Amino acid sequence: MGDAWIAREISLSPRVVFPNKILPYLLVAPQLAITLVFFYWPAGQALYQSMLRQDPFGLKSRFVWFANFRKVLADPAYLNSIKVTVMFSLATAIVAMVVALLLAVMAEKAVRGKGLYRTLLIWPYAVAPAIAGMLWLFLFNPSIGSLAYLLRSLGIAWDPLLNGTHAMILLVSAAAWKQISYNFLFFVAGLQAVPKTLIEAAAMDGAGETKRFWTIIFPLLAPTTFFLLVVNTVYALFDTFGIVHAVTGGGPGKTTETLVYKVYNDGFVNLILGDSAAQSVILMAIVIALTAIQFRYVERKVHYG
Amino acid sequence: MATVDLKDVKKVYPSGVEAVKGVSIAIPDKELCVLVGPSGCGKSTLLRMIAGLETISAGTIAIDGKVVNAIGPTERDIAMVFQNYALYPHMKVYDNMAYGLRNRGTPKDEIDSRVRSTAKVLELSALLDRRPRELSGGQRQRVAMGRAIVRNPKVFLFDEPLSNLDAKLRGQMRIEIKNLQRSLGVTSVYVTHDQLEAMTLADILVVMNAGLVEQTGAPLDVYEKPASTFVASFIGAPPMNLLALTGASPSSVLADGTVIGLVPRQGKAVTLGFRPEDADITFAAEAPAGALALPATVEAVEPVGAESFIHCVAAGSRIVVRVSGRASAKPGDRLRVVARSEKLHWFDQTGKRVD
């Protein structure tokens, strides 16, 4: 009895036992090497650099402990950048998700050509961020943009080159547009996973279409929505450099300078390496926190069953 | 409460498949109508049309005398218990039951008192704060029932509500459903493929096959006078023994040439049937007068305690005889299967009953 139980336990367990002691280590070595060279080493360098201060000519550097962090965190420009980033990320995530959900619900309702709608709506995801940025830049360019012309003829003084709010709107539109397809895909899958009998039961319980959506479908989409919220926030925080660079370059002034863009500006444009490294380390901490949230709440998730 | 009248109802899917080919059923107030048939016979489609979840291709469905063809499921005031229960997984038991009342704008304190009294009847009071996933199959079933009952609808619909339960619980719930339906006095339509459920629950039994009604009637009437060979073989376990006839009157001839001196009172039959419990076995050489006496060979004997099933081969067909207690026969025995002539059923070449 005992033996049989153990035998079953072994046959059920997915673990593979290697007879050789070294082989397993050899097999994971390439992956480890890549992680070490492309992640731990640069991350360590950034950590070290964030505690150095260089002279203006880059001839010598001095170890200053946390002085760079104190300086960065006290810098009004950095605090402004945090504000800009939070605004930009939230706006992008919300716009991208709301529009995607709307499109997914509409596409699900279509009787004919469901597949065509889906394909067309997923296409924008294949466009590179910088190209998406250029696209929007041209469309809304105050002097040559066709949509900018339209806006002006509607009586709106559209000027993203001088007006910070306009620049932010343009940036959010471009960034969200790019993410809508991704969200759309997940929402379509999420909607399909809602059992049809639940919707039928709700209909028989006297709930109209709108009520069914808000009381049955939307709550059941919660796991998808939460997952997308994390993914979209991470996207808006870290993957939008190309769009910011192409559309506004952080301007006008510093009204669209996100945290990632400021790291680039301070490090590679202004060559204040210590400050830039300190900012990267702060960003790294944010990424770690977000990943932890994702693992904690999304992987073992808000799940009904 | 309400009557349900189906008049020549048809369902044709866009693909051209005809699932229901003209069904007429009249269900009087407070009665429980069971639709029974093999899978794919159109019974579920018919139920979903009454619910308003499927459109009606032709014919009319009237509830309480009012044609509801153009009315959606939201406004029909019907409650349905689904096969997989379809409980809202994100809501507590209480909210699952209150949902329909809230949607209809019932005052809060009335919702509360109705949910609590219904929960009491169904012994769910202790579970009101749980979510569906924390309940057992039987408890979920009760919640699904409670959600239907609490609304006090005109009509109850049941779509194979017991098929996900184990045999013991199924028997228990069957009795409970029957008692609830009777005490609440709500007109109900119940779909099942289980003939035992159908027999025990129904006030009106509707046997369906291939999109058509084969027979409608009280369960025992259907059992005693099946209208066709399909009904004869579908209702009853084990099913009715059916033997093909080749010869014409005045004598009937079985497939292997055995002549039996019996004919239907009128018409021409091609199939002869008798129920396993209406037959007996005898080792006597003399055939009794005025009864069917088939020479048969015993293939197997199944004792199940209170009764035994004797499986034999007679005239090239397999037949089953049910005897009470222990059987005196054993495999290999040659004997006669005897059935009194008034217990015989005759069917013509279209499968219809002739008397």
Side-chain angles (χ1 to χ4, degrees):
Chain A
M1 162 87 193
D3 284 351
W5 184 81
I6 289 167
R8 209 187 52 176
E9 190 70 15
I10 289 171
S11 70
L12 283 178
S13 92
R15 189 188 298 165
V16 178
V17 180
F18 285 97
N20 193 311
K21 286 268 184 286
I22 309 161
L23 183 64
Y25 296 100
L26 282 176
L27 289 175
V28 291
Q31 181 66 52
L32 279 179
I34 286 171
T35 316
L36 278 174
V37 172
F38 291 102
F39 179 68
Y40 284 103
W41 188 38
Q45 282 287 312
L47 211 58
Y48 177 62
Q49 289 238 340
S50 70
M51 296 181 201
L52 293 183
R53 184 167 291 173
Q54 288 188 314
D55 69 8
F57 305 102
L59 295 177
K60 57 177 191 285
S61 48
R62 189 158 54 89
F63 198 75
V64 293
W65 286 107
F66 298 104
N68 285 334
F69 288 94
R70 275 196 294 275
K71 184 181 157 208
V72 162
L73 289 173
D75 182 3
Y78 190 73
L79 298 180
N80 171 60
S81 177
I82 290 178
K83 221 170 73 191
V84 166
T85 309
V86 169
M87 280 264 298
F88 169 72
S89 303
L90 280 181
T92 303
I94 289 169
V95 168
M97 285 170 69
V98 168
V99 175
L101 182 58
L102 195 74
L103 289 173
V105 171
M106 294 300 185
E108 266 307 280
K109 268 205 226 161
V111 182
R112 276 163 212 268
K114 230 183 222 183
L116 183 73
Y117 285 124
R118 275 189 215 152
T119 313
L120 289 177
L121 284 165
I122 289 160
W123 265 357
Y125 196 56
V127 178
I131 294 174
M134 289 312 288
L135 222 79
W136 282 81
L137 189 61
F138 278 128
L139 283 174
F140 286 98
N141 183 298
S143 39
I144 58 164
S146 46
L147 289 178
Y149 176 78
L150 207 71
L151 281 174
R152 264 207 307 279
S153 66
L154 287 172
I156 300 162
W158 176 253
D159 190 3
L161 292 184
L162 292 177
N163 185 321
T165 314
H166 289 179
M168 184 56 110
I169 291 172
L170 183 54
L171 204 60
V172 168
S173 309
W177 178 78
K178 177 95 183 57
Q179 196 64 7
I180 285 170
S181 307
Y182 181 87
N183 296 350
F184 171 78
L185 209 60
F186 274 85
F187 276 131
V188 165
L191 285 173
Q192 283 175 346
V194 175
K196 217 173 145 229
T197 49
L198 284 188
I199 296 161
E200 291 175 348
M204 300 203 66
D205 262 344
E209 203 171 347
T210 317
K211 187 136 203 181
R212 287 203 291 274
F213 180 80
W214 289 114
T215 55
I216 307 290
I217 299 173
F218 191 68
L220 290 178
L221 279 178
T224 311
T225 311
F226 189 72
F227 165 77
L228 286 178
L229 188 66
V230 173
V231 169
N232 280 268
T233 310
V234 171
Y235 159 80
L237 279 176
F238 305 108
D239 276 353
T240 44
F241 174 83
I243 288 178
V244 177
H245 196 54
V247 177
T248 63
K254 291 194 177 299
T255 46
T256 57
E257 194 179 53
T258 60
L259 286 171
V260 172
Y261 201 73
K262 191 168 163 54
V263 169
Y264 161 81
N265 249 350
D266 285 355
F268 296 94
V269 180
N270 303 332
L271 292 173
I272 315 168
L273 293 183
D275 284 13
S276 175
Q279 291 174 33
S280 327
V281 170
I282 294 170
L283 276 180
M284 193 154 72
I286 296 174
V287 177
I288 290 169
L290 277 173
T291 312
I293 290 175
Q294 181 166 358
F295 275 10
R296 176 78 181 71
Y297 296 104
V298 179
E299 304 284 307
R300 298 179 269 151
K301 63 188 146 194
V302 207
H303 199 70
Y304 308 111
Chain B
M1 293 218 155
T3 56
V4 177
D5 288 292
L6 281 68
K7 281 211 183 72
D8 205 27
V9 172
K10 287 182 186 167
K11 177 71 193 181
V12 185
Y13 284 106
S15 59
V17 176
E18 213 178 341
V20 177
K21 300 170 186 168
V23 167
S24 300
I25 305 169
I27 308 168
D29 190 19
K30 295 180 186 174
E31 301 232 323
L32 198 164
C33 169
V34 175
L35 306 178
V36 68
S39 52
C41 71
K43 58 190 191 297
S44 284
T45 311
L46 200 58
L47 190 78
R48 291 171 59 81
M49 282 197 279
I50 300 173
L53 299 172
E54 299 276 356
T55 54
I56 301 159
S57 307
T60 56
I61 293 179
I63 295 170
D64 225 0
K66 190 175 158 223
V67 174
V68 294
N69 284 35
I71 301 175
T74 317
E75 280 86 39
R76 281 194 196 182
D77 196 14
I78 285 178
M80 182 153 161
V81 178
F82 290 81
Q83 182 174 2
N84 60 2
Y85 317 136
L87 300 178
Y88 312 124
H90 56 297
M91 293 185 196
K92 290 177 177 162
V93 169
Y94 183 96
D95 299 309
N96 261 285
M97 289 168 69
Y99 186 70
L101 294 171
R102 284 184 188 141
N103 287 337
R104 284 180 167 75
T106 315
K108 223 173 182 167
D109 42 343
E110 196 193 329
I111 293 178
D112 194 65
S113 70
R114 273 165 80 170
V115 168
R116 288 190 193 282
S117 65
T118 307
K120 208 166 169 189
V121 171
L122 290 167
E123 295 165 32
L124 289 168
S125 300
L127 307 174
L128 285 175
D129 281 331
R130 300 233 192 129
R131 282 182 206 280
R133 65 156 181 270
E134 297 161 340
L135 304 176
S136 69
Q139 289 168 335
R140 286 180 202 188
Q141 223 285 324
R142 277 165 196 280
V143 177
M145 296 272 300
R147 190 171 65 179
I149 291 168
V150 77
R151 267 181 42 209
N152 197 14
K154 281 189 193 149
V155 180
F156 280 152
L157 305 179
F158 298 89
D159 189 5
E160 309 215 6
L162 305 182
S163 56
N164 287 357
L165 300 178
D166 62 56
K168 195 178 158 205
L169 207 51
R170 206 181 300 157
Q172 200 181 317
M173 284 307 291
R174 203 166 63 212
I175 294 165
E176 252 175 74
I177 288 179
K178 181 75 186 170
N179 288 342
L180 267 173
Q181 193 270 335
R182 205 163 273 163
S183 65
L184 295 169
V186 177
T187 315
S188 305
V189 185
Y190 189 109
V191 160
T192 182
H193 61 262
D194 184 322
Q195 57 95 21
L196 181 66
E197 251 172 53
M199 288 295 293
T200 51
L201 280 173
D203 294 316
I204 310 163
L205 183 62
V206 176
V207 184
M208 288 186 68
N209 183 33
L212 286 169
V213 171
E214 289 272 341
Q215 189 171 6
T216 307
L220 286 177
D221 292 348
V222 172
Y223 186 81
E224 280 160 10
K225 283 193 165 213
S228 65
T229 49
F230 176 82
V231 178
S233 59
F234 194 80
I235 300 292
M240 184 183 281
N241 297 305
L242 294 173
L243 297 164
L245 302 172
T246 53
S249 50
S251 291
S252 303
V253 183
L254 293 178
D256 69 340
T258 312
V259 179
I260 47 174
L262 298 163
V263 284
R265 260 171 288 165
Q266 48 191 292
K268 185 177 174 295
V270 298
T271 310
L272 165 67
F274 58 91
R275 296 237 175 241
E277 68 271 24
D278 291 336
D280 205 347
I281 52 166
T282 174
F283 290 98
E286 283 297 303
L292 172 74
L294 283 174
T297 308
V298 178
E299 272 210 319
V301 177
E302 287 181 322
V304 284
E307 59 201 10
S308 300
F309 297 105
I310 304 170
H311 297 259
C312 322
V313 175
S317 303
R318 285 183 177 204
I319 58 173
V320 183
V321 178
R322 177 185 199 163
V323 295
S324 61
R326 285 163 187 263
S328 51
K330 57 183 187 303
D333 281 357
R334 298 178 71 84
L335 41 71
R336 276 170 195 274
V337 171
V338 187
R340 293 215 312 279
S341 61
E342 68 266 26
K343 294 289 187 185
L344 298 181
H345 305 261
W346 305 87
F347 304 96
D348 66 14
Q349 67 265 40
T350 56
K352 291 273 174 294
R353 178 184 192 85
V354 288
D355 277 312

